[in-house]
Each structure stands twice: as C-alpha cells, then as structure tokens.
Amino acid sequence: MNTHSSPSTVDRRTFLRVTAATAVAGTAGCLGQGSSNENVVLDEPDAHERTVEADVPWPIYGDRIPEATVPAPLLERSVTTTAFTGERHTLFTFIFTRCPGACPGLMASLRHVQDDSISNEYADEVAFMPITFDPEYDTPDILGEYEERHGVDRELDNWYTLRPESPERATEVVEETFGCMFESTEDAESDSEGEMMDMEFMHTTLLILANKDGYVERAYSGDVPPPSTVVEDARTVVEGW
Amino acid sequence: MRRRDLLAGAAALGASGVGAAYATGYIDPLGLAATVEPIELETIDAPGSQAGTLSVPERGNVTVLEFFATWCGVCAEQMEPMGAVYDDIGQHPDVQFLSVTNEPVGRTVTRSDVATWWIDHDGRWSVALDNDLALTEALDASGVPYTYVLDDSNAIRYAGRGYKSVDELLEPIERAVDGV
C-alpha cells in the first residue's frame, strides 16, 4: 500500500486550518474529506448519530481522550494517557489476559498496527496503550508473557501496557474515566448467560484510535474490529496529519 | 443507566456485542454461498509445506482452510482434529487443505517461529501467511481459529469460529466434495 511520506506536520495543520476557515461548507480540502469536525482526520463513522443518541459512556469520534496516570510495570514507570498529546497518535484498548476471544483480537489489531508502523516508518508517531482491568490476575509477569506471546516489539519504545494498582483503581480508570464497562461474571445470573460462565468478565469491547491532538478518530465498540480496518484507519490518520 | 444496560447498549451498537459474545458463536455476515476471489499467499517451509505461494481458494477444488495464530491456545487444540480431517480427506485430489496464520509475521514473530509451532503441533499440510490480511478480510474472519470450507466455485459452504470437532469439520467438507 502507500508508503508513508513525512510532510511537515505544522505546515499541513496550518494549511488545513486556513483552508477550513476560508472554504465554504461542502468544499473542504482533501484532508478531513468532508468531516464536520476539524479536530479529526477520519470521516464521521456510519453509526455516529446513533452512538451520540445512545449517550455511551466511552469517548467517541471527536471527543477528547480522558486523562489518567497508570503504572506501566514492564517499563517501571507510570504513564499518563494524555502524555503523548502533541507528539503521537495513540491506540487504547481494555483487556484481561484470561479473556479467550475478544481481548486477543483487540491485541492482534494493535499488534498489526505496530507492525505496520515499522513497515511504513511511523513507529515514532504512534503509541499503544492496552489497559488491563484485572490487575489481581494480570501481574507484571503475566502481562510480560502476554506481550511476548503476541509478539509485541519492545525495542520500538511505543508500547505501554498499563496496569492499574488495584481492582478499585481499575474501576476508576477503565470504567469511570474511559467508560469501558466490565463486570465479573461470578455474580451474573447463570440461567440466561450460561455460556459466559467460562469468562471471568463481561466487558465492553472497546478500541480507541486517537490523534496527536488527543481527539478520538475512531472508537470501535460492539464487535471486535477487523485488524485490517484498524490498520487502514491508523494509516489514514498518520498520512492525513 | 445500570451497568448491565450499558453492556447491553454496547451490544446493540455493534454486531455481536460484549467480548463474551465472541466466544459464544457468531453469525457470518458474508453469508454462506458468497464467493471469494483467489488470493496469492506465501507458504512457508515446514513439515508438509513448501516455501512458495498458493492461490487460495483454488478454483476447481474444494478448499478447507483454517485461520490461526501462534499465540492462540484454541488454535493449538484445533490442530488435532484438523490433522485427523487432513488424514481422512485432506489429501483427496479435489481438496485444497491449508492453515493460514493472520498474525503479523516477519519481525517479532518469524517464519521460523511459525515453523516451530507447526512442528510442535504436528502440522503436516500447507501452512501460509496472510501478512497483509487480504484473505482474512475477504472472508471476514474475525478471530481465530476460524475454519472455512469453500466449494469448487469458491463459494463459502461453511464458516465456523472457535474449536471444531472432526465431525463438525468433515460433514461440510464431504458435502462440498460430493457437490451436494
């Protein structure tokens, strides 16, 4: 596919803003492609109005990324979710490593983007932040093995696996700050959801792609997004910046 | 809004909802009988597999393929029934039989890692890479393992996510081979 070229970010942005200020509605330049929101590169997602109406608790297209500071135990430091604003595009997802289906799929999408960021030379323009909501089980060792198993490239310095200090803190960060709901299945009614009993948690499937300015370009929820879609959207944001 | 409603709300916005739904079955959005164009895949040097390329699905033949990833535990378990099916019908001249990894291969996960995994799990048929996800996308394989049976016109006759038993695999393959 396209090889990433590196236009001057400032020039490009300035150009965009000037264009936006002078263009009449409906004749927006090639960047933004008719997007009604000047803070984002991608077009509005199909179901956007429905998502707005549904008043979902997680940040959606055009929203700011919420701020929380969470330990990144494999890097022996803490990272703030907005730390890369002004510097990098960011991908967030919310997982627990014992999850059999959705979470590995979400991780796989992040991994595909990480791999693509090497192929197309934008590794230093993106940051990956999977956040566990199961810190009791997901110890630093477990998270390290999980990264290893998924082939995360640690040399690139763009992968930040975050682990809230406690279950209480996980609730604060993942549910209250990011609006990604999760619930232990232990107290779920066993009759109607018997098949979910093999899972430790029910959770919102959520993957967020945010741009350098800290605005959400895509919040993939509901079903696990195809990795190719996430890669394509991430490239579009990087190239359109 | 109650928490349970929020989880349900997430489901309503998407196709199949919360993460748990991923493991409990899936409705194929492509629909059975959709046909797919062949895609050239790189095959790797491993037991039963030669380095080269394969056109998948192969027109004129029934294609049995399974998407997997080396990090995927269920995919490891799936190798045994896949092996039994391969021994039974996979070498039939009218059948193209292969496994395809759709994880990013080439850097942290190398071709040799895939070959090692293949040896460890007694693979003995063609194993290919879908590095640019073209086939995964064409078949809408959301997740691994994901098994497909396509008939000789490349129409999807069977699509199933998650662990499949020998019988579950054989039935649609035999039907496709018999042209039923």
Side-chain angles (χ1 to χ4, degrees):
Chain A
M1 288 220 197
N2 299 339
T3 303
H4 171 59
S5 59
S6 304
S8 158
T9 299
V10 173
D11 288 350
R12 185 68 79 89
R13 287 307 270 180
T14 307
F15 171 76
L16 242 192
R17 292 205 173 101
V18 171
T19 307
T22 55
V24 293
T27 59
C30 58
L31 296 179
Q33 293 163 0
S35 159
S36 57
N37 189 330
E38 65 173 26
N39 297 314
V40 289
V41 171
L42 295 182
D43 288 342
E44 193 173 287
D46 289 341
H48 185 57
E49 286 190 9
R50 232 160 40 118
T51 312
V52 172
E53 277 168 28
D55 195 23
V56 296
W58 56 88
I60 58 169
Y61 179 72
D63 287 347
R64 304 291 310 235
I65 279 297
E67 184 172 314
T69 301
V70 185
L74 302 171
L75 303 171
E76 296 180 344
R77 66 183 178 98
S78 285
V79 175
T80 301
T81 53
T82 53
F84 296 104
T85 305
E87 294 168 20
R88 292 177 187 229
H89 310 293
T90 317
L91 287 102
F92 295 90
T93 195
F94 306 87
I95 55 143
F96 66 108
T97 65
R98 290 181 285 174
C99 175
C103 306
L106 297 166
M107 277 287 284
S109 280
L110 262 55
R111 273 286 300 125
H112 273 286
V113 178
Q114 190 192 35
D115 217 60
D116 192 64
S117 79
I118 310 169
S119 306
N120 292 307
E121 296 175 5
Y122 62 88
D124 57 354
E125 289 183 61
V126 283
F128 302 90
M129 291 195 199
I131 306 178
T132 176
F133 46 83
D134 186 17
E136 277 189 316
Y137 183 85
D138 289 343
T139 61
D141 282 352
I142 298 270
L143 291 170
E145 285 164 22
Y146 197 63
E147 277 192 4
E148 186 79 16
R149 191 155 20 111
H150 280 268
V152 169
D153 191 333
R154 295 179 186 170
E155 305 296 307
L156 295 175
D157 213 18
N158 65 9
W159 195 281
Y160 306 83
T161 299
L162 305 184
R163 175 181 179 263
E165 296 90 333
S166 62
E168 293 72 30
R169 182 65 183 146
T171 301
E172 276 174 27
V173 171
V174 176
E175 281 203 344
E176 291 163 20
T177 306
F178 274 88
C180 177
M181 311 308 286
F182 63 93
E183 180 173 277
S184 167
T185 53
E186 274 170 32
D187 34 60
E189 311 89 61
S190 57
D191 52 352
S192 60
E193 288 155 297
E195 286 182 270
M196 289 183 180
M197 292 304 101
D198 290 343
M199 298 258 300
E200 285 74 13
F201 292 95
M202 280 173 71
H203 62 101
T204 310
T205 299
L206 184 62
L207 192 161
I208 295 171
L209 167 63
N211 65 33
K212 276 187 192 176
D213 281 349
Y215 288 95
V216 174
E217 293 276 357
R218 277 289 180 276
Y220 312 88
S221 62
D223 207 352
V224 178
S228 51
T229 301
V230 182
V231 170
E232 205 172 299
D233 290 345
R235 272 189 200 171
T236 305
V237 171
V238 169
E239 289 168 12
W241 199 253
Chain B
M1 210 187 242
R2 292 193 315 121
R3 164 181 304 218
R4 176 92 22 185
D5 293 338
L6 280 171
L7 285 162
L13 284 166
S16 68
V18 295
Y22 204 87
T24 61
Y26 181 69
I27 296 162
D28 172 22
L30 281 178
L32 296 180
T35 59
V36 296
E37 287 303 308
I39 288 168
E40 200 83 350
L41 298 183
E42 176 191 338
T43 47
I44 65 166
D45 184 15
S49 179
Q50 294 180 329
T53 60
L54 272 183
S55 184
V56 183
E58 193 173 29
R59 215 183 287 281
N61 280 344
V62 168
T63 294
V64 180
L65 74 94
E66 188 225 355
F67 290 100
F68 74 100
T70 59
W71 48 258
C72 165
V74 181
C75 303
E77 292 169 28
Q78 185 67 57
M79 287 295 281
E80 198 178 323
M82 276 292 279
V85 170
Y86 173 72
D87 292 342
D88 187 338
I89 200 168
Q91 298 164 81
H92 190 287
D94 296 340
V95 174
Q96 179 185 45
F97 192 97
L98 77 161
S99 292
V100 180
T101 174
N102 53 14
E103 65 200 304
V105 173
R107 294 190 176 84
T108 49
V109 181
T110 63
R111 285 166 179 74
S112 132
D113 290 336
V114 177
T116 302
W117 189 90
W118 197 246
I119 293 163
D120 289 349
H121 297 95
D122 203 18
R124 50 193 181 276
W125 55 92
S126 293
V127 56
L129 312 179
D130 188 25
N131 254 341
D132 59 5
L133 298 170
L135 187 66
T136 302
E137 203 169 347
L139 288 168
D140 207 8
S142 47
V144 282
Y146 211 130
T147 311
Y148 290 84
V149 177
L150 299 100
D151 67 18
D152 56 2
S153 66
N154 291 350
I156 302 170
R157 300 290 292 266
Y158 173 85
R161 180 158 63 187
Y163 181 86
K164 301 295 167 200
S165 68
V166 174
D167 288 346
E168 283 175 292
L169 295 172
L170 274 180
E171 201 262 341
I173 298 168
E174 283 168 351
R175 266 193 295 126
V177 169
D178 294 341
V180 180

